[in-house]
Amino acid sequence: MRRIEGYVIVSADGMIADAKGEMPDSIRNEADQRFFQNALDSVAAIVHGRHSHEGGPRAARRKRLIATRQIAAIAPDPAYPNSLLWNPAGATLDDALAALGAPAGTVGVIGGTEVFSMFLPLYDAFHLSRAAHANIPGGRPVFTEVGPNATPEDVLSRHGLKPSPRRELDARAAVTIVSWKR
Ligand SMILES: NC(=O)c1ccc[n+]([C@@H]2O[C@H](COP(=O)([O-])OP(=O)(O)OC[C@H]3O[C@@H](n4cnc5c(N)ncnc54)[C@H](OP(=O)(O)O)[C@@H]3O)[C@@H](O)[C@H]2O)c1
């Protein structure tokens, strides 16, 4: 059985990065990082775009697919061990995971905008952390559909996901998490 789960921290206005594509310190949080890194320790494989990466000391051990249009389908990644470059237009997720040698289990989707959006019809769960004190005007949204008329919650709800109760990750920093489930 394959599960697909997404992980993100957004600003109050639903952004994952600033206009230059950099993740500002205002949405970085230690408690959220602990939750995120621990969750990634038990996934079968991670999927992210070419400009994203979870970082941290355990990253090299994790199997990953890096989405890019620079190759036709699937290719070795000279930069990272345990990784493959993957063009979703040229190979299915299942084929890419098989080529990666990923065991059965959860696929962790960690961004950015286009990659989060591509998996919207498929998420079994999407873990939405929010740094309520941060705003990133003109930033990169978590999903392409987020804008003046749609919050991340609106988009998740449109795609059939339902919120679990909100949990506090860091009260002083006003960082909370809601796991949306299908
Ligand atoms: N707050 C958070 O939780 C969070 C989460 C994730 C990322 N971020 C931040 O967001 C920023 C990067 O986000 P981003 O959205 O700009 O970049 P991204 O998704 O990491 O990378 C974009 C690149 O991924 C490839 N790509 C994306 N969608 C694809 C598709 N459907 N098919 C094939 N290739 C695809 C393309 O690579 P090619 O150009 O090679 O074709 C594209 O240029 C970074 O600052 C990162 O730290 C924050």
Side-chain angles (χ1 to χ4, degrees):
M1 272 294 284
R2 181 86 64 212
R3 280 180 64 79
I4 312 265
E5 302 202 19
Y7 297 88
V8 76
I9 184 163
V10 298
S11 56
D13 48 355
M15 302 297 150
I16 61 167
D18 64 19
K20 289 181 288 184
E22 282 161 23
M23 185 169 162
D25 286 344
S26 61
I27 57 168
R28 288 183 196 276
N29 177 269
E30 253 180 56
D32 178 67
Q33 269 295 311
R34 264 196 309 278
F35 167 81
F36 177 55
Q37 293 285 343
N38 287 342
L40 293 189
D41 284 342
S42 52
V43 301
I46 295 172
V47 180
H48 60 76
R50 194 169 55 81
H51 298 142
S52 295
H53 196 278
E54 79 278 18
R58 308 193 294 275
R61 294 185 209 156
R62 299 180 184 134
K63 289 187 181 290
R64 75 189 61 239
L65 297 175
I66 301 174
T68 176
R69 296 186 178 88
Q70 293 176 6
I71 48 126
I74 297 168
D77 178 2
Y80 297 110
N82 283 327
S83 301
L84 286 178
L85 302 174
W86 172 48
N87 185 341
T92 65
L93 176 64
D94 282 347
D95 286 348
L97 290 169
L100 186 64
T106 300
V107 174
V109 179
I110 64 163
T113 306
E114 255 196 275
V115 174
F116 279 137
S117 300
M118 177 170 71
F119 283 93
L120 273 166
L122 301 176
Y123 291 120
D124 296 290
F126 192 90
H127 306 282
L128 179 69
S129 298
R130 179 176 257 111
H133 291 160
N135 272 288
I136 315 178
R140 306 263 172 105
V142 52
F143 305 120
T144 51
E145 293 171 59
V146 169
N149 301 315
T151 64
E153 287 81 357
D154 292 335
V155 176
L156 289 164
S157 179
R158 268 181 217 159
H159 286 270
L161 290 135
K162 294 189 174 52
S164 300
R166 178 182 316 253
R167 287 173 286 152
E168 210 162 66
L169 284 178
D170 182 341
R172 264 187 59 198
V175 174
T176 57
I177 185 165
V178 175
S179 292
W180 288 70
K181 298 193 175 155
R182 199 169 294 282

